[in-house]
Amino acid sequence: MQSFRRLASSSEAPPPADGHLPSVATSKLLRQNRDQALRTPGLRWTDEVEPGLAGNIVGGRETRKMNTYQSVRDALSTVLSKDDTAVVFGEDVAFGGVFRCTMGLSEEFGRDRIFNTPLTEQGIVGFGIGLASMGHTAIAEIQFADYVYPAFDQLVNEAAKYRYRAGGQFNIGGLTVRMPTMAVGHGGLYHSQSPEGYFMGASGLKIVIPRSPIQCKGLLLASIRDPNPVLFMEPKILYRSAVEQVPIDDYTIDLGKAETLIPGSDLTVLTWGTPVYHCETALHMLNTPPPGLADVIPQSLRGAKIELIDLRTILPWDMQTVVESVNRTGRLVIVHEASVTAGVGAEIAAEVQKRCFLKLQAPVKRVGGWDVPAALQYEKFNMPDTIRILDGILETLSY
Amino acid sequence: MASLARLRLPLARRIPFARAIQTSADVTQLADNITDHSKPFSVKIHEESYRAYNCDLPSLDVQVSKDELIHMYRDMQTMRRMEMAADALYKAKLIRGFCHLAIGQEAVSVGLEHGITPEDRVITAYRCHPFAVMRGGTIKGVIAELLGRQAGMSNGKGGSMHIFTPSFFGGNGIVGAQVPVGAGIAFAQKYLGKKTATFALYGDGASNQGQVFEAFNMAKLWDLPCVFVCENNKYGMGTSAERSSSNTEYFTRGDKIPGLQVNGMDIIASRNAVQYARKWVTEGNGPLLMEFVTYRYGGHSMSDPGTTYRTREEVQRMRSTQDPIRGLQRYIEEWGLATEQELKQIDKDAKAEVDKAVEEAKASPEPELKDLWTDIYYKGTEPPFMRGREREEVHYY
């Protein structure tokens, strides 16, 4: 047992520089051909006459190879061409944005619909709230999720409560605030944070974090059209590294629903965003350990069937799916990049221990960032990497 | 160290303004012979009622009519009665929590309403009750909201700072936060190509919030039809303007945005300034800053007696010499538009109207428990349930 726990900091041979396979580039979770893409579970084609037939009507539909930033652009372009009240604004968005998510939109739809704002996050969100309260579709970009803190007041005090405090007379359902989130490997203190946990108590807001281009397009379109203000956090390292065939038609993916990516029966791993791929790798390593790790992974655990769930919507989170899974597996490991103390995992763990108390075989394990600032040179140590996730799984399996 | 004292620079002496703004409520002069009460007549606003920053002064010669003045008198009197009723209800412990009254500042809310159109938009923070009524709300709706009843304009969920109408974007609890929201509203008006204006109000206290300046910058950058209105009642809670602001000439704080300082106690000057500001922004000149110099008679909130940071004499002097309602009363009487008896009747009617609304509001039931859970998310998009205090209180949608 001790050896598992010490794995991350032990004298074991370090993993190869480019990580253990599969990485994001070769992930089986990414749908890299047309047929797979069109059969993505939960796609809801918006041009469909009868909902619910999504899986059947794939014949005439096309896909295009896109990475995540291209799928963001595709979603925005879809909204801008269908909804005259839609506007996109933020720092440098007219030039395409620092992550190229809005490339060419201002040329296509005009500078009066896609425009740069000053460096004024509180102002951007406040402005977006005003715009949305007039019935517009306001799509704001905060350049990095780390910069959302100046707008915290506007989001928590104004956006979240707008409908409630007006007794339902007003709403700002048209507001969506996009922001790149999570670590990029070298972002440092103010470019690698995951702030989703800070907003958990703000009833009235929704928080969405996609894991891939197909998910990103569908969830972003759903967020923009959701009649509530939504914080849409895009894992920035996946902008380029995650590539899929993305359906070019207009579709949405329902908010508030988690997705079971890999079914299993012995342990549930719950995560969202970038760590989805680290978890996939960890599962792979558990089943077929690389030579350096073979000694510390008991034979008896190698055949464990691990269920992997992508939470996707962080607020309100899909308690039903998670609780159902944990009641089956009896074990839960939650993985997120934000630090463990009072992170989203804390809320989920508390709820799961209440609802699955008699079914739990082991304490709920949280694998997250350390309770330290996201320091530049330590970023790799701070992130819940594959080894730490694997360690958490082993510890929980053998409790 | 004694030598240091000698080295210290002499304290910067306060240089008095070349010309301070006039804040009397009754210095507008009749410039016409009124022969027919149904026709508008000319009056001349006192030349010291305005100071301008990078823009022309509004015309001082304006037309008013008897009907308008009587209407404004009735509105101001009714608003004051409503606020007094709220004061009494608070002291009777029927209104709980926070309550900020605008007694003394009626020329701003009423002057604003009489200078704009129903299509214009207004947003403010505290002291929002009169604006809510002027913008299409009801006295009953405001009082019931303060009492936390179902008949309240936000169904009893908002309270003092959160009262809305279709053209009034509320009361807001965080002072300053409403100002960038106002810029967004103005942007929507411009985007839709409408010749309408947004009036984003804030106080001298909120004027030092960073986001106020963020909103100024965006509004000027994009030439939004937004009038930023500083209601300078000289005290941000218990701190006087001079103690909180390095520049107390709030109308000059917009950098490239022109500004206008207005005697906020004279209703005729106030309304004329609002009309000027509305014209300015709807004609594509970009935003405008407007500062109403006004005064609140009461404390900041109900828990503030209002006399620890200013003298009773100061409040008394303002009440007796510069009251906006008395000022208008003097115009009406001196210009022979109505008799003292007729105005007294209006006062009585206002009181009766408010008393009736208070009784109706009191009769309204408290919100039902089920409404605790509505309006958080759009109907049908809620999470499956939300938590109450205990297991029995978990609400399933």
Side-chain angles (χ1 to χ4, degrees):
Chain A
M1 287 298 295
Q2 283 303 311
S3 61
F4 307 146
R5 294 208 180 97
R6 293 222 194 98
L7 210 52
S9 56
S10 73
S11 57
E12 294 288 335
D18 53 350
H20 294 283
L21 292 177
S23 67
V24 178
T26 56
S27 169
K28 289 202 172 62
L29 301 174
L30 293 171
R31 294 168 181 264
Q32 293 179 342
N33 68 54
R34 173 176 170 276
D35 199 49
Q36 278 181 344
L38 292 175
R39 293 185 190 283
T40 303
L43 292 200
R44 195 185 284 277
W45 306 103
T46 57
D47 50 3
E48 219 169 58
V49 188
E50 275 186 72
L53 296 172
N56 301 329
I57 314 178
V58 295
R61 299 196 188 273
E62 292 305 320
T63 61
R64 198 166 63 229
K65 189 177 173 185
M66 292 183 207
N67 60 23
T68 311
Y69 78 69
Q70 289 162 334
S71 84
V72 171
R73 194 224 181 263
D74 194 50
L76 294 176
S77 155
T78 304
V79 168
L80 286 161
S81 55
K82 286 191 170 180
D83 177 357
D84 284 344
T85 71
V87 290
V88 174
F89 51 94
E91 293 157 17
D92 290 341
V93 297
F95 309 139
V98 291
F99 290 103
R100 304 169 76 93
C101 293
T102 51
M103 282 293 285
L105 287 178
S106 64
E107 288 81 1
E108 192 176 340
F109 296 100
R111 295 294 284 251
D112 54 343
R113 296 184 70 192
I114 290 82
F115 51 92
N116 291 336
T117 61
L119 307 186
T120 167
E121 286 77 17
Q122 193 169 20
I124 291 170
V125 174
F127 174 85
I129 291 169
L131 193 52
S133 71
M134 291 286 280
H136 279 246
T137 302
I139 307 166
E141 179 179 300
I142 300 293
Q143 199 164 59
F144 281 84
D146 310 65
Y147 307 167
V148 78
Y149 302 119
F152 197 74
D153 171 58
Q154 284 287 353
L155 287 166
V156 173
N157 270 325
E158 305 295 318
K161 302 178 177 77
Y162 217 96
R163 186 191 307 275
Y164 199 77
R165 70 198 172 99
Q169 281 185 82
F170 276 101
N171 74 83
I172 51 155
L175 177 69
T176 306
V177 186
R178 293 178 41 246
M179 62 195 87
T181 188
M182 298 192 173
V184 72
H186 49 258
L189 293 159
Y190 301 133
H191 294 84
S192 278
Q193 299 172 77
S194 300
E196 68 268 17
Y198 293 108
F199 296 96
M200 283 302 274
S203 292
L205 290 182
K206 292 191 176 184
I207 304 170
V208 179
I209 302 181
R211 68 165 188 278
S212 75
I214 295 176
Q215 296 290 315
C216 186
K217 178 176 172 181
L219 289 169
L220 181 54
L221 284 169
S223 298
I224 290 168
R225 290 163 183 163
D226 190 89
N228 303 289
V230 180
L231 305 187
F232 194 81
M233 301 182 178
E234 299 154 6
K236 62 176 90 70
I237 199 160
L238 301 180
Y239 274 138
R240 285 161 186 273
S241 61
V243 180
E244 283 183 316
Q245 287 288 334
V246 179
I248 55 174
D249 286 334
D250 186 351
Y251 67 92
T252 59
I253 294 174
D254 290 354
L255 303 188
K257 290 217 169 68
E259 183 182 0
T260 305
L261 301 177
I262 300 172
S265 53
D266 297 325
L267 181 145
T268 304
V269 174
L270 175 67
T271 187
W272 51 91
T274 314
V276 165
Y277 302 97
H278 304 319
C279 291
E280 185 194 14
T281 310
L283 265 51
H284 184 80
M285 283 166 60
L286 175 71
N287 292 337
T288 50
L293 293 175
D295 294 350
V296 293
I297 300 179
Q299 281 291 345
S300 60
L301 299 182
R302 292 184 191 181
K305 293 191 165 48
I306 311 292
E307 182 147 302
L308 178 60
I309 300 180
D310 176 8
L311 191 60
R312 301 197 290 195
T313 300
I314 314 304
L315 184 72
W317 60 284
D318 186 354
M319 206 175 285
Q320 200 181 353
T321 300
V322 176
V323 166
E324 187 277 323
S325 171
V326 178
N327 272 334
R328 256 189 303 106
T329 62
R331 293 182 161 89
L332 176 64
V333 175
I334 304 168
V335 182
H336 57 60
E337 283 195 9
S339 49
V340 166
T341 300
V344 175
E347 170 61 26
I348 295 173
E351 199 60 36
V352 164
Q353 67 83 21
K354 190 181 101 182
R355 287 170 186 273
C356 311
F357 189 65
L358 297 175
K359 296 283 177 64
L360 281 174
Q361 311 275 330
V364 176
K365 174 76 182 173
R366 290 178 284 157
V367 181
W370 310 119
D371 287 339
V372 298
L376 178 63
Q377 287 297 45
Y378 301 105
E379 194 157 307
K380 281 210 162 69
F381 302 115
N382 190 42
M383 275 166 53
D385 63 359
T386 307
I387 297 291
R388 279 172 57 198
I389 296 165
L390 178 61
D391 190 40
I393 291 173
L394 290 172
E395 183 189 314
T396 307
L397 275 175
S398 56
Y399 179 79
Chain B
M1 294 311 283
S3 60
L4 261 186
R6 261 176 265 134
L7 285 174
R8 205 188 292 149
L9 291 168
L11 284 173
R13 254 181 307 156
R14 288 186 63 181
I15 301 160
F17 297 135
R19 189 166 63 85
I21 192 155
Q22 174 65 252
T23 54
S24 292
D26 56 358
V27 285
T28 298
Q29 299 291 321
L30 185 64
D32 221 343
N33 283 323
I34 306 174
T35 49
D36 183 350
H37 278 185
S38 65
K39 288 196 178 136
F41 52 89
S42 303
V43 296
K44 186 163 180 67
I45 293 169
H46 194 284
E47 60 179 357
E48 288 171 7
S49 296
Y50 303 121
R51 289 170 68 207
Y53 169 73
N54 291 345
C55 64
D56 295 330
L57 284 170
S59 166
L60 299 173
D61 300 302
V62 296
Q63 294 268 306
V64 292
S65 72
K66 174 189 167 183
D67 282 353
E68 285 168 353
L69 294 181
I70 298 284
H71 191 178
M72 291 195 288
Y73 179 84
R74 181 181 297 120
D75 282 347
M76 287 212 284
Q77 197 61 263
T78 314
M79 287 307 96
R80 182 167 294 184
R81 285 287 173 191
M82 176 179 75
E83 294 287 69
M84 287 164 64
D87 183 75
L89 288 167
Y90 197 96
K91 285 171 179 157
K93 294 190 163 40
L94 286 165
I95 295 173
R96 310 306 297 263
F98 294 94
C99 186
H100 305 81
L101 305 176
I103 298 173
Q105 301 179 205
E106 292 86 356
V108 179
S109 52
V110 175
L112 179 74
E113 183 58 31
H114 284 262
I116 62 179
T117 72
E119 287 74 37
D120 293 319
R121 298 288 187 270
V122 178
I123 184 167
T124 185
Y126 293 17
R127 286 175 238 298
C128 69
H129 314 155
F131 296 101
V133 178
M134 290 287 101
R135 289 269 84 194
T138 60
I139 298 168
K140 176 188 169 188
V142 169
I143 296 287
E145 188 59 41
L146 297 177
L147 290 165
R149 305 299 173 91
Q150 275 183 30
M153 287 164 67
S154 298
N155 305 337
K157 287 177 169 182
S160 173
M161 302 151 200
H162 309 294
I163 310 180
F164 299 73
T165 77
S167 66
F168 177 57
F169 287 67
N172 280 259
I174 305 294
V175 300
Q178 77 281 13
V179 183
V181 176
I185 295 168
F187 182 88
Q189 290 175 320
K190 183 172 178 173
Y191 187 92
L192 298 170
K194 293 194 171 151
K195 290 265 175 213
T196 53
T198 297
F199 288 76
L201 290 90
Y202 55 95
D204 49 300
S207 71
N208 297 318
Q209 286 274 349
Q211 51 183 332
V212 172
F213 295 92
E214 297 186 19
F216 287 174
N217 181 51
M218 285 190 283
K220 185 61 184 171
L221 188 65
W222 302 323
D223 276 342
L224 303 181
C226 191
V227 184
F228 295 105
V229 184
C230 177
E231 278 188 274
N232 176 9
N233 62 20
K234 304 196 178 75
Y235 297 91
M237 298 203 286
T239 304
S240 66
E242 292 74 21
R243 284 166 170 259
S244 71
S245 303
S246 60
N247 175 6
T248 56
E249 302 198 293
Y250 296 99
F251 67 113
T252 67
R253 293 176 76 166
D255 191 11
K256 288 193 166 184
I257 306 177
L260 184 68
Q261 192 182 37
V262 181
N263 173 0
M265 299 307 257
D266 182 329
I267 183 85
I268 297 178
S270 295
R271 188 190 68 153
N272 185 46
V274 169
Q275 288 169 331
Y276 171 90
R278 186 183 185 282
K279 190 162 183 284
W280 178 278
V281 300
T282 54
E283 285 181 351
N285 296 313
L288 185 75
L289 252 64
M290 196 155 76
E291 174 191 349
F292 284 109
V293 182
T294 179
Y295 199 79
R296 82 170 132 74
Y297 294 168
H300 164 73
S301 68
M302 298 307 294
S303 57
D304 167 23
T307 48
T308 50
Y309 46 85
R310 56 185 187 181
T311 61
R312 281 177 201 283
E313 291 69 38
E314 177 187 307
V315 181
Q316 202 48 50
R317 179 164 41 79
M318 293 301 291
R319 289 189 91 118
S320 57
T321 64
Q322 306 195 354
D323 184 74
I325 301 183
R326 278 206 205 175
L328 179 56
Q329 180 189 356
R330 182 176 286 186
Y331 296 150
I332 292 173
E333 286 178 17
E334 283 185 0
W335 301 342
L337 304 173
T339 63
E340 195 181 344
Q341 275 65 39
E342 286 169 318
L343 292 182
K344 282 231 167 87
Q345 188 57 46
I346 292 176
D347 299 353
K348 275 188 194 162
D349 293 347
K351 184 171 183 314
E353 185 186 350
V354 170
D355 289 348
K356 181 163 172 281
V358 168
E359 288 315 311
E360 287 173 1
K362 277 188 192 166
S364 173
E366 296 194 345
E368 291 179 43
L369 190 57
K370 67 178 170 59
D371 288 327
L372 178 64
W373 311 99
T374 57
D375 300 323
I376 301 172
Y377 292 97
Y378 180 74
K379 206 173 166 60
T381 68
E382 306 97 342
F385 67 87
M386 295 193 90
R387 286 186 192 136
R389 288 170 304 179
E390 300 169 20
R391 184 182 286 252
E392 293 73 34
E393 284 180 350
V394 173
H395 178 78
Y396 294 89
Y397 286 101

